[in-house]
Amino acid sequence: MILQDKKYKYQVVYERIKEQILSGNYQPHEKLLSKRKISEQFNVSINSVIVALDQLIVEGYLYSLERKGYFVEDITHYSQDTQKWPKLPEELKEKPYKHRHVTSFSHMATNLQQFPYNEWAKCEHKAFHEFRDELSHLSHQQGPYTVRQTLAKHLNFKRGVRCEPEQIIFHSSSQGLMSQVLALFEPGTIALENPGYARYRTLIEQEQWQVHPVPIDEQGFNVAHVKSDVKLLYTTPAHQFPMGVIMPISRRFELLNWLNVPQERYIIEDDYDSEYKYETAHIPSLQSLDKSQRTIYMGTFSKTLFPGIRISYMVLPPALLKRYKEHFSHLLPSCNTLNLYTLHYFMKDGYYQKHLATMAQHFESIRKKLIQELRHVFDEKLTIVDIPAGLHFIIHYDTTTSYEEIIARAQEENVELFTLERFLLTMLPTANRSFIIGFANLQMNEIPKAVQKLKTVLTA
């Protein structure tokens, strides 16, 4: 017998005997040939035969009796054994991803060309050696205490957040955190910004909650439009997504006053990109002002590091922390523990703060250049909502061309562009077309060409 070169010799013996058993050539409890005869039949060593027979015993095809040999098990017949393996339905198949250069105005992208790889690798190496024992076991469900302690200090210094390490919960996604928050309450009504983060709407409705859209004005979330039965309120006060509004202190106090009622109410403050504030100092978080301790603070490292790092977190008020532990203490941690310990050293050794300062300066230059180029290339039909914060801004363009036509043109021009329409929870009256212009993935020398391509898309 000629053996196949790409298979170990024992595999050929194993597969042939298994095939004979399944096809009925052997009867239940029938004895096989001796190991020596099988080795002669397949022209392999006795050791290869032993390995093959042992594997068949482990899988339940054979059993052995001491000094008597190997016998075939009484195997239950599989009723569908003769059927062909079904193919994956066409609608579920994916096309292989082919990387191509795209002019990206995505608000979700970041700039990895500026990332300090060497420093991150140094911190990862340090984490692996210093926390080797911890890495060999599952960490705390909320994330390692040491890392939560480091993050608590950072949040207090940068955003004024008042919390203990015990209040921090790490998760691989903000959506996962939102799902956990919703599970801490009986389903009711939650107020969302409109326009806002549309992905949350789908999640919230799947969790059997009612969504109450609240329109955004020039000061952000307007609590005057919130219905009386709302028990949760979601807002992005530091840089409203997607409109970019920075909420003034009077509006923040209005939100906090909304909490001061006998019935249970909470605010979810999503601080998704507050690290990037240009021209002025950072504004304290809403959580830092809330003495009633009814603000749930959420954040992510997707904007400051990169989306693939998959590290998000939330800070729960003490009353909800107790409820959280009762609901979720059985869960395994969802974040990569080595990444968390690496982040610990990245922050503790000052690399994170240095990286933030570098990126803030870089993004401010990119933003200014992009806005300057937009004003130079476009006419008065283009309006720029110029708010110096975050990694995106809004533009309005006066045209009767539909969003569908514009996006089709963008795809033809290899331009990644997001419309405001996709973030509307309910349709709002508008006389123009609005777009989210993310600039984190743009390089300085690419901006003139990128703006020309955007003009082609909008004016063709």
Side-chain angles (χ1 to χ4, degrees), residues 216-249:
I216 296 300
D217 61 23
E218 66 279 359
Q219 293 187 336
F221 195 106
N222 190 343
V223 74
H225 293 282
V226 176
K227 297 193 300 185
S228 60
D229 64 338
V230 167
K231 65 168 66 175
L232 284 179
L233 186 156
Y234 171 88
T235 183
T236 51
H239 186 229
Q240 199 279 328
F241 181 81
M243 299 306 293
V245 178
I246 299 173
M247 186 181 291
I249 190 66

Side-chain angles (χ1 to χ4, degrees), residues 13 28 93 112 151 161 247 264 288 321 330 356 373 376 447:
V13 179
K93 288 187 177 180
L112 276 176
L151 180 59
V161 172
M247 186 181 291
E264 186 178 53
S288 69
L321 178 62
H330 66 285
L356 282 181
E373 194 69 20
H376 173 70
I447 291 176

